[in-house]
Amino acid sequence: MQLSDCHLFKETEGKLLGLNTEHSLSKVMDLIEAEQPNLDLVLATGDLSQDGSGESYARFHDTMAQFSCPVYWLPGNHDLTDIMANHQAAQRMSPCVIDQGDWQIIMLDSTIRGKVPGNFADTELTFLEQALTASAGKHVLIALHHQPVPVGSDWLDQQIVGNAQEFFKVVDQFSNVRSIIWGHVHQVFETERNGVQLMSVPSTCVQFLPKSQEFAVDKESPGYRWIELYPNGTIQSGVSRVTGVEFEVDYSVKGY
């Protein structure tokens, strides 16, 4: 299961665009509990905190402790990795490789400290190439925070992974990569590139309007993505959203 972009604050009353992010995450967690009783793994793909506070990460850690399965984190542009690391075992943060039966999941850090757009450090691309080389005989899913391809929203696509071409140059060398997933865009985007499934996930808080030229908020509810990985390399995945709950969002805000 993938969840992303929780944007928690130091205080539980913290709001993003008028929405209490603690409340919306709790509603997504209720949904996951009801729908996914047998999870094997949880991937949290960045912007777990809005303000980088230790308190927000401690609460996220406590929330994730409700799962009986392992939970892996990677940072987003709002996160502070050194503070994140104080609240989660280091081996459960990116960059890392997760062995999951016939699959390997590679968690990457696409952030530039203090900047909104994404870019892979040379060390991250080296890690990716080494991990893919060692993945022979397994199917691979790669997770990161920023989108590596345009999603069709002009303002968001200014924040794409800056060296995505170099990233795909590595990926394209390996025929066992099956899927790439990310957060950041606060919306559902799905496409295919060279036979590889590319997928984003809704935020657990505010949603951004797809195909918008300028910053715009969507009226869709918070949600998560479920993913089923099969031994033969096929993938089934879908998105589930909270229903029956009214979320107070300030649609007049023109940025976040």
Side-chain angles (χ1 to χ4, degrees):
M1 189 272 294
Q2 178 194 10
L3 56 80
S4 196
D5 298 270
C6 307
H7 291 275
L8 298 181
F9 290 80
K10 179 178 180 179
E11 305 293 340
T12 57
E13 297 80 13
K15 294 182 178 180
L16 181 69
L17 305 177
L19 174 65
N20 183 299
T21 58
E22 188 86 13
H23 170 68
S24 62
L25 175 60
S26 73
K27 292 302 179 184
V28 173
M29 290 292 292
D30 290 345
L31 180 64
I32 294 168
E33 182 180 9
E35 295 182 342
Q36 307 294 340
N38 300 306
L39 286 172
D40 296 305
L41 196 66
V42 174
L43 307 178
T45 51
D47 278 359
L48 311 181
S49 172
Q50 171 70 9
D51 57 13
S53 62
E55 291 86 350
S56 63
Y57 292 121
R59 290 203 316 280
F60 185 81
H61 180 278
D62 290 345
T63 300
M64 295 300 101
Q66 298 175 38
F67 294 115
S68 58
C69 63
V71 180
Y72 287 81
W73 305 15
L74 60 79
N77 48 286
H78 283 274
D79 290 312
L80 298 177
T81 52
D82 50 345
I83 300 178
M84 287 177 74
N86 292 333
H87 299 278
Q88 175 66 64
Q91 68 268 25
R92 291 193 177 180
M93 283 182 62
S94 64
C96 64
V97 176
I98 308 164
D99 282 309
Q100 197 72 13
D102 296 289
W103 286 77
Q104 284 195 339
I105 299 169
I106 302 174
M107 302 279 280
L108 298 175
D109 180 354
S110 63
T111 63
I112 312 168
R113 189 177 180 94
K115 305 290 185 181
V116 174
N119 200 79
F120 286 118
D122 290 343
T123 52
E124 208 75 13
L125 292 177
T126 298
F127 176 86
L128 172 63
E129 186 166 14
Q130 291 173 342
L132 287 171
T133 300
S135 71
K138 300 230 177 186
H139 311 293
V140 175
L141 180 146
I142 299 171
L144 63 152
H145 179 68
H146 294 84
Q147 72 270 33
V149 295
V151 298
S153 292
D154 291 353
W155 70 277
L156 271 173
D157 288 333
Q158 295 175 23
Q159 304 167 16
I160 195 170
V161 175
N163 56 351
Q165 185 174 352
E166 286 79 5
F167 167 71
F168 282 117
K169 185 177 180 180
V170 175
V171 170
D172 290 346
Q173 297 176 51
F174 300 88
S175 60
N176 58 336
V177 178
R178 306 295 180 221
S179 182
I180 301 170
I181 62 173
W182 62 87
H184 189 63
V185 296
H186 290 230
Q187 62 189 258
V188 175
F189 176 84
E190 297 178 351
T191 190
E192 187 175 292
R193 178 189 178 278
N194 292 350
V196 178
Q197 289 183 247
L198 308 181
M199 304 182 289
S200 70
V201 64
S203 166
T204 65
C205 61
V206 176
Q207 311 303 304
F208 297 153
L209 184 67
K211 301 187 183 304
S212 54
Q213 292 186 348
E214 298 179 348
F215 176 86
V217 179
D218 200 0
K219 296 184 183 295
E220 290 276 14
S221 293
Y224 72 95
R225 178 176 287 281
W226 56 266
I227 304 169
E228 295 184 0
L229 306 176
Y230 292 90
N232 66 356
T234 60
I235 299 172
Q236 288 188 349
S237 182
V239 163
S240 187
R241 295 183 186 268
V242 177
T243 59
V245 179
E246 291 293 327
F247 295 95
E248 297 294 330
V249 179
D250 186 351
Y251 296 102
S252 68
V253 178
K254 300 303 179 184
Y256 84 112

